[in-house]
């Protein structure tokens, strides 16, 4: 065993701390933070690591925070990020100021005109958001969604392209059952105004973590594409939402079938048989001091 | 230490090695505890003399060398290293032979090793390890890449008519599939269980230990289904219930 290890520099410790925080499963970063603080035993290093890691984690997991003042919830995403800790909620046209490390929204202010899309784009965005909200409230018991304009928000009239992104985020924490999970969908919608075509690109990511007798984690990802025509903001919105609903439902079904129904039998049989080929338990009793292996091999009918 | 084990329980299993080295560098004084309590995917080395491969773990390690169960020599060579007594070594040799046959029967491939050493209580400890992975199309399709590593550590009490055996088993499982319609799917992790039994020594240590291991692996195989698949699937369905269930609103928990 190596003798006295050279002490790690603060910078190295900070990088390690960040790594642990960033790799926390959905919804578990506060638990990881607690254990990490104890292991690090150095509040300054921890604080620095946390200030760098939490924003990245929060955006990547698209956490949902409650806004003070009855404005509802806001999703913390890179699409809605205005500045380091300011996030736009397009639904209410409010900007939430967020404390990343505490994972709370500390205050709210109205969005300025420059921060919002033009009325032309807003019509599309709003119509889609309304359809998405309907879909999400039906399909996800505890899901949130937002629709942002990420390109072309200054488009004034028809003939120009713009891009929207619809995100869905759902998380479930059940620490008393030692189980957590998350679902994240990111749908990019390119609106090709001149040819009245909408191109969709979806990225779905599902995760689950079970930690009663050990540490078991699921990480599943899926990408898909589709496109549709549109005439107006409203029918475009309905078409998109229905495509999204269709793809997500299909993905869930194929997860069930391909992975959960087929895997257990197929995989476990491949990795470990339930019983040896002989269909009986292993003949341990043939254990005599010396001819052990030969006797067993004879019993099992294998040459050795 | 408890906090360190807490972290290991939350980090993605595929990054366990990185997580463990990070913890070792943050807590150098707890290294022996960490190394003996954290299970990592198993690694293998080839024996110089016979070319047969053996599994590396804390139980056959001294400094940076590992003892082969086939030749009983350390790789790389080491002076003043611990060895089991010749009586125990006999048992170890038999155990390795018989465990190889057992693994062939159940796993149809993979590498196994058994290590034994005397402990302070006039008993001994035996560690049975099995390493194996399969890639490509399984015979029945679907399986893309899967590994099942098992570590069974048995503490054997002092020899009396009825001897006490304490088994701690860890199975590390990893499954990845990649198929067009469902994208990538990766399920991995480890489960640990314990079992204690008092068995007549007349039946022979190997027979007793072997039966315990077989029983434990059978149980783990069944509950792996429940745990790995059952629990994670339950969570996914809670997040987004399949369409047939939708009309029923789930209670808020």
């Amino acid at each position: 065993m190596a003798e006295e290890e050279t002490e790690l520099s603060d910078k190295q410790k900070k990088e390690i701390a960040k790594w642990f925080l960033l790799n926390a499963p959905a919804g578990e970063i506060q638990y990881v933070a607690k254990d990490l603080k104890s292991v690090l035993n150095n509040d300054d290093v921890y604080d620095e690591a946390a200030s760098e890691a939490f924003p990245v984690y929060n955006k990547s997991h698209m956490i949902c925070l409650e806004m003070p003042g009855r404005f509802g919830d806001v999703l913390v995403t890179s699409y809605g990020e205005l500045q380091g800790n300011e996030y736009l909620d397009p639904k209410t046209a409010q900007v939430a100021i967020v404390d990343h490390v505490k994972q709370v929204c500390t205050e709210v202010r109205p969005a300025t005109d420059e921060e919002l899309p033009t009325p032309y784009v807003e019509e599309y965005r709003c119509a889609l958001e309304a359809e998405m909200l309907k879909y999400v409230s039906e399909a996800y018991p505890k899901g949130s969604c937002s629709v942002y304009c990420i390109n072309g928000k200054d488009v004034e009239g028809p003939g120009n392209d713009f891009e929207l992104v619809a995100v869905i985020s759902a998380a479930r924490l059940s620490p008393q059952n030692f189980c957590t999970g998350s679902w994240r969908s990111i749908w990019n919608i390119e609106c090709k105004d001149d040819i009245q075509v909408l191109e969709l690109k979806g990225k779905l990511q599902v995760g689950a973590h079970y930690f009663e007798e050990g540490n078991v984690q699921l990480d599943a990802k899926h990408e898909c594409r589709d496109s549709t025509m549109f005439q107006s903001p409203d029918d475009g919105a309905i078409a998109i939402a229905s495509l999204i609903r269709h793809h997500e439902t299909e993905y869930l079904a194929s997860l069930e079938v391909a992975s959960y129904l087929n895997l257990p039998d197929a995989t476990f049989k491949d990795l470990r048989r339930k019983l040896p080929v002989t269909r009986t338990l292993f003949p341990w009793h043939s254990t005599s001091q010396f001819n052990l292996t030969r006797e067993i091999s004879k019993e099992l009918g294998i040459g050795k | 230490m408890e906090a360190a084990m807490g972290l290991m329980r939350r980090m993605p299993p595929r990054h366990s090695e990185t997580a463990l080295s990070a913890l070792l560098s943050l807590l150098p004084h707890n290294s022996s505890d960490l190394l003996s309590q954290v299970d990592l995917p198993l690694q293998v080395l080839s024996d110089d003399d016979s070319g047969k491969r053996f599994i590396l773990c804390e139980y056959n390690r001294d400094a940076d060398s590992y003892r082969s169960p086939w030749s009983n020599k350390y790789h790389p060579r080491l002076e003043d290293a611990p060895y089991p007594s010749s009586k125990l070594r006999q048992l170890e040799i038999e155990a390795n032979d018989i465990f190889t046959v057992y693994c062939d029967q159940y796993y149809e491939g993979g590498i196994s090793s058994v290590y034994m050493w005397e402990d302070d209580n006039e008993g001994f400890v035996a560690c049975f390890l099995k390493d194996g992975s399969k890639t490509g199309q399984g015979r029945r399709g679907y399986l893309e890449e899967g590994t099942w590593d098992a570590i069974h550590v048995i503490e054997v009490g002092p020899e009396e008519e009825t001897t006490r055996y304490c088994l701690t088993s860890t199975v590390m499982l990893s499954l990845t599939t990649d198929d067009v319609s469902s994208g990538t799917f990766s399920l991995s992790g480890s489960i640990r269980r314990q079992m204690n039994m008092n068995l007549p020594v007349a039946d022979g240590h190997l027979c007793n230990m072997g039966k315990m291991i077989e029983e434990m692996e059978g149980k783990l195989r069944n509950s792996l289904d429940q745990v790995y698949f059952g629990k994670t699937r339950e969570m996914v369905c809670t997040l987004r219930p399949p369409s047939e269930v939708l009309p029923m609103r789930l209670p808020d928990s």
Side-chain angles (χ1 to χ4, degrees):
Chain A
M1 201 52 206
E3 318 75 36
E4 212 45 54
E5 301 266 349
T6 39
E7 185 70 16
L8 286 178
S9 73
D10 276 357
K11 184 157 187 291
Q12 286 170 311
K13 286 191 190 170
K14 185 191 73 164
E15 290 304 313
I16 291 180
K18 270 167 68 179
W19 184 87
F20 276 109
L21 289 171
L22 289 172
N23 277 290
E28 294 185 35
I29 194 170
Q30 298 291 357
Y31 297 101
V32 170
K34 183 160 167 271
D35 284 338
L36 180 63
K37 269 193 249 197
S38 177
V39 166
L40 261 184
N41 208 12
N42 182 332
D43 282 347
D44 292 329
V45 170
Y46 170 76
D47 287 338
E48 223 188 301
S51 67
E52 288 174 34
F54 269 85
V56 177
Y57 176 89
N58 290 340
K59 278 181 284 182
S60 117
H61 285 272
M62 302 198 294
I63 65 169
C64 182
L65 298 177
E66 202 183 311
M67 290 190 284
R70 289 196 293 151
F71 284 110
D73 294 336
V74 62
L75 281 179
V76 174
T77 67
S78 54
Y79 307 107
E81 188 172 47
L82 295 172
Q83 287 191 85
N85 61 345
E86 294 201 342
Y87 295 88
L88 172 68
D89 175 41
K91 212 176 347 314
T92 54
Q94 300 292 317
V95 174
I97 289 121
V98 161
D99 178 330
H100 279 289
V101 177
K102 293 206 181 110
Q103 294 185 307
V104 292
C105 170
T106 52
E107 58 177 289
V108 163
R109 66 160 173 84
T112 64
D113 282 340
E114 297 81 57
E115 290 166 337
L116 294 170
T118 57
Y120 179 72
V121 171
E122 177 63 16
E123 225 191 313
Y124 286 88
R125 193 208 66 75
C126 191
L128 179 57
E129 196 170 63
E131 286 301 312
M132 291 297 297
L133 285 168
K134 248 196 281 178
Y135 162 58
V136 169
S137 70
E138 276 170 25
Y140 296 84
K142 268 193 177 174
S144 317
C145 87
S146 277
V147 179
Y148 304 90
C149 173
I150 55 173
N151 245 328
K153 76 181 208 333
D154 297 321
V155 163
E156 298 283 351
N160 293 312
D161 297 345
F162 56 93
E163 199 176 335
L164 298 175
V165 71
V167 306
I168 303 177
S169 172
R172 200 74 163 190
L173 294 175
S174 215
Q176 64 276 31
N177 292 331
F178 303 98
C179 203
T180 61
S182 72
W183 174 298
R184 284 172 270 175
S185 320
I186 299 177
W187 289 91
N188 278 72
I189 301 136
E190 256 182 80
C191 305
K192 295 196 153 71
D193 218 24
D194 46 352
I195 46 175
Q196 308 244 266
V197 161
L198 296 160
E199 301 260 351
L200 270 92
K201 260 193 302 196
K203 274 205 217 149
L204 311 177
Q205 191 168 6
V206 190
H209 178 211
Y210 176 67
F211 45 101
E212 182 162 13
E213 290 174 293
N215 175 3
V216 176
Q217 297 198 18
L218 162 68
D219 182 23
K221 293 192 178 108
H222 180 60
E223 289 188 26
C224 51
R225 285 173 179 258
D226 212 329
S227 60
T228 184
M229 308 279 293
F230 71 99
Q231 309 271 29
S232 70
D234 287 334
D235 69 55
I238 294 175
I240 296 172
S242 110
L243 281 178
I244 290 180
R245 179 196 291 263
H246 166 75
H247 281 284
E248 295 195 340
T249 310
E250 219 181 61
Y251 176 54
L252 187 68
S254 78
L255 260 187
E256 282 281 310
V257 171
S259 311
Y260 284 112
L261 283 174
N262 290 320
L263 267 186
D265 283 338
T267 319
F268 283 130
K269 281 207 193 100
D270 275 349
L271 289 178
R272 183 186 197 271
R273 305 181 62 90
K274 202 158 181 168
L275 281 176
V277 191
T278 55
R279 307 270 203 87
T280 58
L281 289 174
F282 193 74
W284 299 100
H285 59 267
S286 295
T287 305
S288 72
Q289 279 301 77
F290 304 106
N291 285 324
L292 186 64
T293 321
R294 241 177 288 149
E295 276 195 30
I296 290 190
S297 310
K298 245 196 321 204
E299 256 197 60
L300 297 170
I302 52 182
K304 199 132 186 321
Chain B
M1 230 351 252
E2 214 181 288
M5 295 311 288
L7 286 175
M8 286 308 299
R9 254 201 306 280
R10 297 188 194 270
M11 291 300 108
R14 66 182 181 280
H15 295 314
S16 329
E17 272 183 75
T18 315
L20 181 61
S21 26
L23 284 174
L24 285 171
S25 56
L26 288 176
L27 300 171
H29 302 297
N30 296 77
S31 53
S32 53
D33 277 334
L34 282 170
L35 286 169
S36 60
Q37 287 195 44
V38 175
D39 296 308
L40 288 183
L42 300 175
Q43 288 181 309
V44 167
L45 205 61
S46 273
D47 183 309
D48 286 344
D49 299 334
S50 57
K52 276 169 93 164
R53 286 178 294 173
F54 61 99
I55 299 176
L56 310 181
C57 68
E58 271 311 284
Y59 308 111
N60 65 331
R61 182 181 74 84
D62 193 61
D64 291 323
S65 293
Y66 293 87
R67 182 173 66 90
S68 156
W70 313 117
S71 63
N72 204 23
K73 297 203 195 125
Y74 276 86
H75 295 65
R77 292 282 174 271
L78 201 61
E79 302 284 319
D80 289 336
Y83 291 87
S85 68
S86 47
K87 181 169 169 226
L88 199 55
R89 172 69 190 144
Q90 275 309 301
L91 192 61
E92 191 185 74
I93 293 175
E94 262 184 63
N96 272 288
D97 286 341
I98 202 176
F99 196 55
T100 307
V101 181
Y102 167 84
C103 288
D104 272 338
Q105 289 293 300
Y106 273 104
Y107 296 98
E108 296 167 356
I111 300 166
S112 64
S113 297
V114 183
Y115 303 107
M116 299 190 182
W117 64 99
E118 276 93 355
D119 74 3
D120 304 322
N121 304 325
E122 294 174 12
F124 66 95
V125 186
C127 171
F128 293 72
L129 304 124
K130 187 234 152 257
D131 167 62
S133 63
K134 279 205 164 88
T135 48
Q137 278 288 309
R139 253 160 281 135
R140 297 163 200 84
Y142 302 113
L143 177 65
E144 194 69 33
E145 188 170 321
T147 61
W148 170 305
D149 288 349
I151 302 180
H152 302 282
V153 181
I154 308 186
E155 283 166 41
V156 184
E159 222 168 277
E160 300 157 27
E161 236 181 80
T162 311
T163 312
R164 186 163 173 73
Y165 298 85
C166 299
L167 167 64
T168 305
S169 297
T170 310
V171 172
M172 289 170 289
L173 195 64
S174 152
L175 301 162
T176 336
T177 64
D178 208 335
D179 99 60
V180 179
S181 64
S182 51
T184 59
F185 177 95
S186 142
L187 191 52
S188 61
S190 64
I191 306 210
R192 183 180 271 205
R193 286 249 181 103
Q194 287 192 308
M195 184 200 284
N196 296 330
M197 287 181 106
N198 292 311
L199 297 166
V201 78
D203 285 348
H205 283 309
L206 279 188
C207 182
N208 289 337
M209 293 194 289
K211 284 196 188 146
M212 280 178 83
I213 290 180
E214 187 171 29
E215 193 182 321
M216 175 64 96
E217 289 198 332
K219 282 197 190 145
L220 281 173
R221 185 186 186 273
N222 292 335
S223 73
L224 280 173
D225 199 9
Q226 276 180 324
V227 174
Y228 274 74
F229 292 98
K231 290 281 176 184
T232 53
R233 175 185 182 215
E234 202 182 302
M235 175 53 72
V236 175
C237 289
T238 311
L239 285 170
R240 191 187 189 289
S243 13
E244 311 85 59
V245 179
L246 272 177
M248 250 165 51
R249 293 299 245 115
L250 292 171
D252 267 325
S253 56

